[in-house]
Amino acid sequence: SAVISQKPSRDICQRGTSLTIQCQVDSQVTMMFWYRQQPGQSLTLIATANQGSEATYESGFVIDKFPISRPNLTFSTLTVSNMSPEDSSIYLCSVERGYEQYFGPGTRLTVT
Amino acid sequence: QKEVEQNSGPLSVPEGAIASLNCTYSDRGSQSFFWYRQYSGKSPELIMFIYSNGDKEDGRFTAQLNKASQYVSLLIRDSQPSDSATYLCAVNGGGATNKLIFGTGTLLAVQP
């Protein structure tokens, strides 16, 4: 498995501001993923972050809104920019180990 | 559009019974299949994965895969109230990033 931490665990932000979420894993991994889980819904992949290259975004998600950094093999950040209430969600990072993906504890974001 | 379908439930079973959770997927090229358990307010926890046709057993859990019919199921034997959670089916569509596509989840309620 993997030990993954995320910061912050939750936050309440005002619309128009930005929040950066950090994800730290206990050992080196090639692929890190960022997901969003809106209230009562399943997980939607935002982007895949591979160290040393630009993140790959899924349809409906753009770099200007969700910039991602991946400075090394154990760390990544996701920024939610120019937030609106529609961005209220749980944001989860995950890492790949072999065939399996493991999730961090998530960041619960509320935008007022 | 690759899709993963699950019955949202709730599926209610008495304690000690077998719970049967089902999932269908649209992409015949899918190669590996995952079951996650998600307790309310928590992040998804990997239970099992399967990539070959047939059954795979791990303790009280059995995953079943039928690629010809494009379905995967999870059986939980001797269900316990602590098994009450949402069960998410995820499918790996292959390709360079191994991204997962999630179903909407089935809510399982085990009645004591």
Side-chain angles (χ1 to χ4, degrees):
Chain A
S1 64
V3 178
I4 305 167
S5 60
Q6 283 186 236
K7 291 182 182 179
S9 59
R10 59 178 63 226
D11 207 341
I12 301 173
C13 301
Q14 291 192 338
R15 69 175 67 206
T17 63
S18 298
L19 176 71
T20 295
I21 302 168
Q22 299 178 7
C23 179
Q24 178 79 50
V25 63
D26 63 335
S27 59
Q28 294 181 349
V29 293
T30 302
M31 294 287 197
M32 296 180 80
F33 304 86
W34 287 98
Y35 289 83
R36 181 173 73 181
Q37 188 172 29
Q38 294 183 303
Q41 299 191 25
S42 190
L43 284 78
T44 302
L45 181 64
I46 298 171
T48 302
N50 196 356
Q51 195 268 338
S53 63
E54 294 288 326
T56 302
Y57 289 83
E58 297 300 304
S59 176
F61 298 97
V62 295
I63 187 171
D64 290 347
K65 175 68 175 177
F66 298 101
I68 287 171
S69 76
R70 182 79 201 274
N72 59 53
L73 291 172
T74 63
F75 186 78
S76 179
T77 67
L78 170 75
T79 299
V80 186
S81 304
N82 188 24
M83 288 184 285
S84 66
E86 291 71 36
D87 295 319
S88 297
S89 187
I90 299 172
Y91 292 86
L92 298 130
C93 69
S94 74
V95 303
E96 188 177 72
R97 286 268 164 85
Y99 285 111
E100 301 157 42
Q101 277 192 32
Y102 298 94
F103 284 85
T107 296
R108 184 179 295 271
L109 171 63
T110 302
V111 184
T112 60
Chain B
Q1 180 78 4
K2 300 177 182 179
E3 294 184 346
V4 178
E5 304 265 353
Q6 294 181 258
N7 188 319
S8 61
L11 173 66
S12 182
V13 301
E15 183 175 355
I18 296 174
S20 178
L21 303 158
N22 299 311
C23 172
T24 60
Y25 58 95
S26 63
D27 183 10
R28 284 196 172 274
S30 301
Q31 298 179 1
S32 49
F33 308 85
F34 302 82
W35 284 100
Y36 287 83
R37 177 175 63 197
Q38 187 174 28
Y39 292 112
S40 180
K42 300 294 185 181
S43 64
E45 171 193 5
L46 181 64
I47 300 174
M48 294 186 69
F49 73 92
I50 186 169
Y51 53 86
S52 298
N53 273 329
D55 295 0
K56 179 181 179 182
E57 186 174 319
D58 184 358
R60 295 188 296 114
F61 299 97
T62 299
Q64 300 175 318
L65 175 61
N66 184 323
K67 289 187 177 180
S69 300
Q70 295 177 242
Y71 83 77
V72 57
S73 61
L74 180 70
L75 302 178
I76 306 175
R77 289 182 299 281
D78 188 24
S79 295
Q80 301 297 310
S82 58
D83 295 325
S84 298
T86 296
Y87 289 80
L88 299 166
C89 172
V91 175
N92 183 326
T97 60
N98 286 329
K99 63 183 182 183
L100 294 182
I101 301 169
F102 281 83
T104 53
T106 297
L107 178 62
L108 173 66
V110 181
Q111 307 299 327

